């Protein structure tokens, strides 16, 4: 009898791990929980993959998909349109900050990031500045896996097998104040320093070669780095000074994850482009988008000019219908307000773990948190590669899952556990997360 891994090639997975063992197989979801094929229940601590914001088992989203598929299952938006793509683009534009009114649909986050870089390059070429082609992004930041998005990504380990990549990706400091090289005790000064590192990178490369700066509102990889006070306002000033586009990569941070429609609204800054995906449909159907300011489409409105880029399933009718139903649901149940009302309780519950010797830092905003693990709390000494391997892959990932919590134990940077539950979660789910984490992390420390 064939094993699941005889044919299924799982993503970001060491396939050898399942050579002789069973593959965890999730078959059902309801609210903040999922069940496997053996009937075991798990608390979904990262909303699938920072995606199922509305929670599992929302039949109205499935019904929206079925209704649309019966009416018009597929048609491209290459020179034609269909009603759900039109309506969804209008809805998104009504929610974005400022004049981000132009919505280019994709099927996922990597494609949205790829589209944003291509648009930035094409825009400057069409406006007489073809030398502006580079992108500034931050160390450890994850922006996707297509070749362009991977070049923007700041994680060396996941790029090595695919080099040489697209040229022009330049990395600068992130906002991990827990490991700040300067101003670690002064968030505002640290924010000024981190933003000015972007300016210094632009100056080193030459402003006439830099097209865009790509930043997540809260950086995911490395373990949820929120922006220091004033950071994005200063970055906006820097981008204006050097005529560089500011791209807010909100593949994770949009649609309520931080308690607002977009992270840019949460932190009060105006991007030129927003990239998004994941929770636009709460994961019920694949869809992403690159949302651009009005000025960026202007060169492409001239006679005989086109943005020569497209994706077969971008703006898919079924996915667009699901997204509309999802946005209706988020608004009707005020999930943004629910996150804002409960984020303090979420933080306070996770901060109880500070009494464990292995917990160095608890950080994040909204429903998006990282817990950094350390070998020594006093010195903030981290684990070496071999220790991280034993800690995360050798124990934590499996132990947390076995204890009933699906979350991410990640060593792309210093070891962290990441938590981003469905936006419907409340104190009962927070307490369950804390209880499981306390038990497993206590055992983990005993093992090291």
């Amino acid at each position: 009898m064939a094993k699941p891994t005889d044919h299924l090639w799982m993503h970001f997975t060491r396939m050898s791990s399942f050579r002789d063992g069973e593959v965890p197989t999730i078959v059902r979801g309801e609210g903040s929980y999922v069940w496997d094929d053996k009937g075991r229940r798990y608390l979904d601590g990262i909303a699938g993959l920072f995606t199922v914001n509305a929670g599992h088992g929302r039949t109205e989203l499935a019904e929206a998909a079925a209704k649309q598929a019966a009416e018009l299952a597929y048609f491209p938006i290459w020179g034609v349109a269909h009603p759900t793509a039109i309506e969804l683009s209008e809805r998104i534009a009504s929610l974005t900050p400022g004049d981000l009114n132009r919505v280019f649909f994709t099927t996922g986050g990597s494609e949205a990031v790829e589209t944003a870089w291509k648009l930035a390059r094409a825009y400057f070429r069409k406006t007489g500045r073809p030398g502006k082609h580079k992108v500034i992004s931050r160390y450890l930041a994850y922006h996707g896996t297509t070749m362009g998005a991977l070049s923007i990504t700041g994680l060396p380990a996941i790029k090595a097998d695919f080099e040489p990549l697209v040229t022009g990706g330049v990395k600068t400091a992130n906002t991990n104040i827990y490991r700040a090289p300067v101003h670690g005790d002064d968030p505002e000064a640290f924010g000024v320093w981190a933003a000015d590192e972007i300016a210094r990178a632009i100056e080193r490369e030459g402003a006439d070669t830099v097209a865009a700066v790509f930043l997540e509102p809260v950086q995911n990889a490395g373990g949820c780095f929120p922006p220091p006070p004033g950071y994005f306002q200063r970055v906006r000033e820097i981008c204006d000074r050097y005529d560089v586009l500011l791209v807010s990569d909100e593949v994770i941070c949009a649609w309520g994850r931080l308690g607002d429609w977009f992270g840019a609204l949460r932190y009060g800054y105006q991007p030129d482009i927003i990239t998004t995906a994941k929770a636009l449909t709460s994961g019920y159907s694949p869809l992403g988008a690159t949302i651009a300011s009005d000025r960026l489409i202007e060169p492409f409105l001239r006679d005989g000019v086109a943005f020569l880029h497209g994706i077969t399933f971008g703006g898919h009718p079924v996915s667009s219908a699901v997204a509309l139903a999802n946005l209706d649901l988020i608004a009707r149940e005020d999930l943004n307000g629910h996150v804002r009302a409960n984020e303090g309780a979420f933080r306070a519950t996770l901060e109880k773990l500070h009494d464990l010797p292995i917990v160095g830092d608890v950080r994040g905003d909204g429903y998006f948190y990282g817990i950094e693990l350390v070998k020594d709390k006093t010195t903030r000494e981290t684990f070496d590669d071999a220790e991280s391997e034993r800690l995360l892959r050798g124990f934590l990932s499996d132990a947390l899952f076995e204890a009933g919590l699906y979350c991410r134990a990640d060593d792309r940077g210093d070891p962290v556990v990441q938590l981003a539950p469905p936006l419907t979660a409340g104190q009962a789910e927070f307490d369950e997360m804390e209880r499981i984490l306390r038990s497993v992390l206590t055992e983990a420390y005993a093992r090291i």
Side-chain angles (χ1 to χ4, degrees), residues 17 22 42 60 87 105 180 203 211 320 322 383 401 432:
S17 300
E22 293 186 65
Y42 305 87
E60 66 190 89
E87 185 179 353
F105 287 114
E203 290 167 356
S320 297
V322 173
F383 299 92
F401 192 70
E432 186 175 352

PDB file of all heavy atoms in Angstrom, residues 17 22 42 60 87 105 180 203 211 320 322 383 401 432:
ATOM      1  N   SER A  17      12.032  12.761   7.006  1.00  0.00           N
ATOM      2  CA  SER A  17      11.429  12.646   8.334  1.00  0.00           C
ATOM      3  C   SER A  17      10.243  11.690   8.339  1.00  0.00           C
ATOM      4  O   SER A  17       9.866  11.151   9.382  1.00  0.00           O
ATOM      5  CB  SER A  17      10.960  14.019   8.822  1.00  0.00           C
ATOM      6  OG  SER A  17      12.034  14.933   8.893  1.00  0.00           O
ATOM      7  N   GLU A  22       4.411   8.129  10.081  1.00  0.00           N
ATOM      8  CA  GLU A  22       3.160   8.597   9.514  1.00  0.00           C
ATOM      9  C   GLU A  22       3.200  10.104   9.284  1.00  0.00           C
ATOM     10  O   GLU A  22       3.866  10.841  10.004  1.00  0.00           O
ATOM     11  CB  GLU A  22       2.008   8.260  10.449  1.00  0.00           C
ATOM     12  CG  GLU A  22       1.728   6.775  10.592  1.00  0.00           C
ATOM     13  CD  GLU A  22       0.472   6.538  11.416  1.00  0.00           C
ATOM     14  OE1 GLU A  22      -0.618   6.934  10.951  1.00  0.00           O
ATOM     15  OE2 GLU A  22       0.595   5.985  12.517  1.00  0.00           O
ATOM     16  N   TYR A  42      -6.591  19.570  17.682  1.00  0.00           N
ATOM     17  CA  TYR A  42      -5.440  20.457  17.862  1.00  0.00           C
ATOM     18  C   TYR A  42      -5.911  21.907  17.822  1.00  0.00           C
ATOM     19  O   TYR A  42      -6.745  22.278  16.982  1.00  0.00           O
ATOM     20  CB  TYR A  42      -4.403  20.255  16.753  1.00  0.00           C
ATOM     21  CG  TYR A  42      -3.926  18.837  16.594  1.00  0.00           C
ATOM     22  CD1 TYR A  42      -4.629  17.942  15.783  1.00  0.00           C
ATOM     23  CD2 TYR A  42      -2.799  18.371  17.260  1.00  0.00           C
ATOM     24  CE1 TYR A  42      -4.206  16.628  15.632  1.00  0.00           C
ATOM     25  CE2 TYR A  42      -2.361  17.059  17.114  1.00  0.00           C
ATOM     26  CZ  TYR A  42      -3.080  16.198  16.300  1.00  0.00           C
ATOM     27  OH  TYR A  42      -2.664  14.893  16.150  1.00  0.00           O
ATOM     28  N   GLU A  60     -20.522  29.750   5.172  1.00  0.00           N
ATOM     29  CA  GLU A  60     -20.919  30.798   4.239  1.00  0.00           C
ATOM     30  C   GLU A  60     -19.836  31.090   3.201  1.00  0.00           C
ATOM     31  O   GLU A  60     -20.151  31.485   2.074  1.00  0.00           O
ATOM     32  CB  GLU A  60     -21.296  32.076   4.988  1.00  0.00           C
ATOM     33  CG  GLU A  60     -20.145  32.758   5.720  1.00  0.00           C
ATOM     34  CD  GLU A  60     -20.637  33.868   6.617  1.00  0.00           C
ATOM     35  OE1 GLU A  60     -20.953  33.580   7.788  1.00  0.00           O
ATOM     36  OE2 GLU A  60     -20.710  35.025   6.148  1.00  0.00           O
ATOM     37  N   GLU A  87     -16.064  43.971  -8.404  1.00  0.00           N
ATOM     38  CA  GLU A  87     -16.590  44.346  -7.090  1.00  0.00           C
ATOM     39  C   GLU A  87     -15.516  44.249  -6.008  1.00  0.00           C
ATOM     40  O   GLU A  87     -15.422  45.122  -5.124  1.00  0.00           O
ATOM     41  CB  GLU A  87     -17.778  43.453  -6.722  1.00  0.00           C
ATOM     42  CG  GLU A  87     -18.438  43.862  -5.416  1.00  0.00           C
ATOM     43  CD  GLU A  87     -19.627  43.002  -5.041  1.00  0.00           C
ATOM     44  OE1 GLU A  87     -20.046  42.157  -5.858  1.00  0.00           O
ATOM     45  OE2 GLU A  87     -20.137  43.167  -3.914  1.00  0.00           O
ATOM     46  N   PHE A 105      -4.601  41.612  -9.296  1.00  0.00           N
ATOM     47  CA  PHE A 105      -4.799  40.356  -8.588  1.00  0.00           C
ATOM     48  C   PHE A 105      -3.761  39.296  -8.971  1.00  0.00           C
ATOM     49  O   PHE A 105      -3.336  39.198 -10.121  1.00  0.00           O
ATOM     50  CB  PHE A 105      -6.196  39.796  -8.851  1.00  0.00           C
ATOM     51  CG  PHE A 105      -7.287  40.540  -8.142  1.00  0.00           C
ATOM     52  CD1 PHE A 105      -8.246  41.252  -8.856  1.00  0.00           C
ATOM     53  CD2 PHE A 105      -7.347  40.548  -6.754  1.00  0.00           C
ATOM     54  CE1 PHE A 105      -9.259  41.936  -8.197  1.00  0.00           C
ATOM     55  CE2 PHE A 105      -8.345  41.240  -6.081  1.00  0.00           C
ATOM     56  CZ  PHE A 105      -9.307  41.934  -6.810  1.00  0.00           C
ATOM     57  N   ALA A 180      19.081  44.508  19.589  1.00  0.00           N
ATOM     58  CA  ALA A 180      19.520  45.742  18.941  1.00  0.00           C
ATOM     59  C   ALA A 180      21.016  45.969  19.138  1.00  0.00           C
ATOM     60  O   ALA A 180      21.510  45.891  20.270  1.00  0.00           O
ATOM     61  CB  ALA A 180      18.753  46.931  19.519  1.00  0.00           C
ATOM     62  N   GLU A 203      22.004  55.242  -0.022  1.00  0.00           N
ATOM     63  CA  GLU A 203      23.151  56.081  -0.392  1.00  0.00           C
ATOM     64  C   GLU A 203      24.321  55.243  -0.877  1.00  0.00           C
ATOM     65  O   GLU A 203      25.019  55.617  -1.826  1.00  0.00           O
ATOM     66  CB  GLU A 203      23.553  56.948   0.801  1.00  0.00           C
ATOM     67  CG  GLU A 203      22.527  58.030   1.121  1.00  0.00           C
ATOM     68  CD  GLU A 203      22.763  58.681   2.474  1.00  0.00           C
ATOM     69  OE1 GLU A 203      23.693  58.234   3.198  1.00  0.00           O
ATOM     70  OE2 GLU A 203      22.013  59.615   2.810  1.00  0.00           O
ATOM     71  N   ALA A 211      14.811  51.286  -6.597  1.00  0.00           N
ATOM     72  CA  ALA A 211      13.415  51.469  -6.978  1.00  0.00           C
ATOM     73  C   ALA A 211      12.473  51.437  -5.790  1.00  0.00           C
ATOM     74  O   ALA A 211      11.488  52.180  -5.754  1.00  0.00           O
ATOM     75  CB  ALA A 211      13.002  50.398  -7.984  1.00  0.00           C
ATOM     76  N   SER A 320     -12.520  35.413  -5.840  1.00  0.00           N
ATOM     77  CA  SER A 320     -13.001  36.778  -5.607  1.00  0.00           C
ATOM     78  C   SER A 320     -14.323  36.770  -4.849  1.00  0.00           C
ATOM     79  O   SER A 320     -14.547  37.601  -3.951  1.00  0.00           O
ATOM     80  CB  SER A 320     -13.152  37.517  -6.939  1.00  0.00           C
ATOM     81  OG  SER A 320     -11.903  37.642  -7.597  1.00  0.00           O
ATOM     82  N   VAL A 322     -15.315  34.430  -2.779  1.00  0.00           N
ATOM     83  CA  VAL A 322     -14.996  34.042  -1.407  1.00  0.00           C
ATOM     84  C   VAL A 322     -14.424  35.237  -0.642  1.00  0.00           C
ATOM     85  O   VAL A 322     -14.768  35.474   0.525  1.00  0.00           O
ATOM     86  CB  VAL A 322     -14.011  32.858  -1.389  1.00  0.00           C
ATOM     87  CG1 VAL A 322     -13.533  32.570   0.031  1.00  0.00           C
ATOM     88  CG2 VAL A 322     -14.665  31.612  -1.980  1.00  0.00           C
ATOM     89  N   PHE A 383      21.156  29.797  21.090  1.00  0.00           N
ATOM     90  CA  PHE A 383      21.620  28.431  20.851  1.00  0.00           C
ATOM     91  C   PHE A 383      22.447  28.388  19.567  1.00  0.00           C
ATOM     92  O   PHE A 383      22.171  29.115  18.608  1.00  0.00           O
ATOM     93  CB  PHE A 383      20.421  27.495  20.707  1.00  0.00           C
ATOM     94  CG  PHE A 383      19.553  27.449  21.929  1.00  0.00           C
ATOM     95  CD1 PHE A 383      18.458  28.298  22.064  1.00  0.00           C
ATOM     96  CD2 PHE A 383      19.824  26.566  22.964  1.00  0.00           C
ATOM     97  CE1 PHE A 383      17.652  28.267  23.188  1.00  0.00           C
ATOM     98  CE2 PHE A 383      19.026  26.520  24.095  1.00  0.00           C
ATOM     99  CZ  PHE A 383      17.947  27.381  24.213  1.00  0.00           C
ATOM    100  N   PHE A 401       2.998  19.683  18.885  1.00  0.00           N
ATOM    101  CA  PHE A 401       1.907  19.090  18.115  1.00  0.00           C
ATOM    102  C   PHE A 401       1.269  17.930  18.876  1.00  0.00           C
ATOM    103  O   PHE A 401       0.034  17.818  18.956  1.00  0.00           O
ATOM    104  CB  PHE A 401       2.434  18.633  16.755  1.00  0.00           C
ATOM    105  CG  PHE A 401       1.363  18.263  15.772  1.00  0.00           C
ATOM    106  CD1 PHE A 401       0.542  19.230  15.217  1.00  0.00           C
ATOM    107  CD2 PHE A 401       1.177  16.937  15.387  1.00  0.00           C
ATOM    108  CE1 PHE A 401      -0.456  18.888  14.302  1.00  0.00           C
ATOM    109  CE2 PHE A 401       0.192  16.587  14.482  1.00  0.00           C
ATOM    110  CZ  PHE A 401      -0.626  17.570  13.933  1.00  0.00           C
ATOM    111  N   GLU A 432      -5.192  27.976  26.808  1.00  0.00           N
ATOM    112  CA  GLU A 432      -4.774  26.649  26.345  1.00  0.00           C
ATOM    113  C   GLU A 432      -3.385  26.703  25.719  1.00  0.00           C
ATOM    114  O   GLU A 432      -2.548  25.833  25.956  1.00  0.00           O
ATOM    115  CB  GLU A 432      -5.794  26.098  25.353  1.00  0.00           C
ATOM    116  CG  GLU A 432      -5.511  24.665  24.921  1.00  0.00           C
ATOM    117  CD  GLU A 432      -6.598  24.085  24.039  1.00  0.00           C
ATOM    118  OE1 GLU A 432      -7.659  24.733  23.875  1.00  0.00           O
ATOM    119  OE2 GLU A 432      -6.388  22.977  23.505  1.00  0.00           O
TER     120      GLU A 432
END
